Amino acid sequence: MSTATPRSLRLDLDQVVDAYVHNLNVMLRGFKAVDGCDFLETFVPSEDPTASVRDLVELSRDAGVHRVSIAMSTATAGRLDRAQLGRDVGHFTVDTTADGIELLFATVAPPDDSLGGIHP
């Protein structure tokens, strides 16, 4: 049973990656990054946080999420290539938090239906 895709989504990159690693070590199948976000079941984190953020934004975009924010620790943020991320997914803003940063993708465009809903 699938759930409705949220219009706005907040993710914590470090928690999503930890959940993925835990799932690999404990469960046989059925990775659940975030309850209610079935579209994230295909997410596979990269050792490069820039690639992981790009993939989370693209999965969210393809699912029709309009706004995505992705929080991360200071250590993870230090390994992020913000210029590359901007080239990959477009404009975003950065807010500093008590324990890291939060990237705000305010206008995550819905998927392009010119291919009949097929991801390029």
Side-chain angles (χ1 to χ4, degrees):
M1 180 176 151
S2 67
T3 56
T5 300
R7 294 181 57 80
S8 181
L9 180 62
R10 183 181 189 279
L11 300 169
D12 184 304
L13 180 62
D14 298 297
Q15 288 178 354
V16 171
V17 171
D18 287 347
Y20 181 85
V21 171
H22 175 76
N23 186 73
L24 284 178
N25 293 321
V26 177
M27 302 185 67
L28 294 176
R29 60 182 87 117
F31 171 58
K32 282 281 191 196
V34 177
D35 286 334
C37 295
D38 295 343
F39 63 92
L40 293 178
E41 290 179 0
T42 59
F43 173 70
V44 177
S46 169
E47 289 185 21
D48 174 12
T50 305
S52 291
V53 170
R54 178 200 63 223
D55 293 347
L56 286 170
V57 171
E58 288 178 352
L59 285 168
S60 298
R61 176 181 292 150
D62 291 348
V65 176
H66 296 272
R67 287 177 293 283
V68 177
S69 64
I70 301 175
M72 65 191 71
S73 67
T74 302
T76 302
R79 298 178 17 241
L80 189 69
D81 183 342
R82 295 181 191 187
Q84 182 62 49
L85 186 60
R87 287 189 295 275
D88 290 347
V89 299
H91 177 74
F92 62 92
T93 59
V94 181
D95 285 343
T96 303
T97 64
D99 57 349
I101 64 169
E102 186 166 353
L103 307 176
L104 306 167
F105 301 88
T107 55
V108 177
D112 179 4
D113 287 332
S114 64
L115 297 174
I118 298 172
H119 188 283

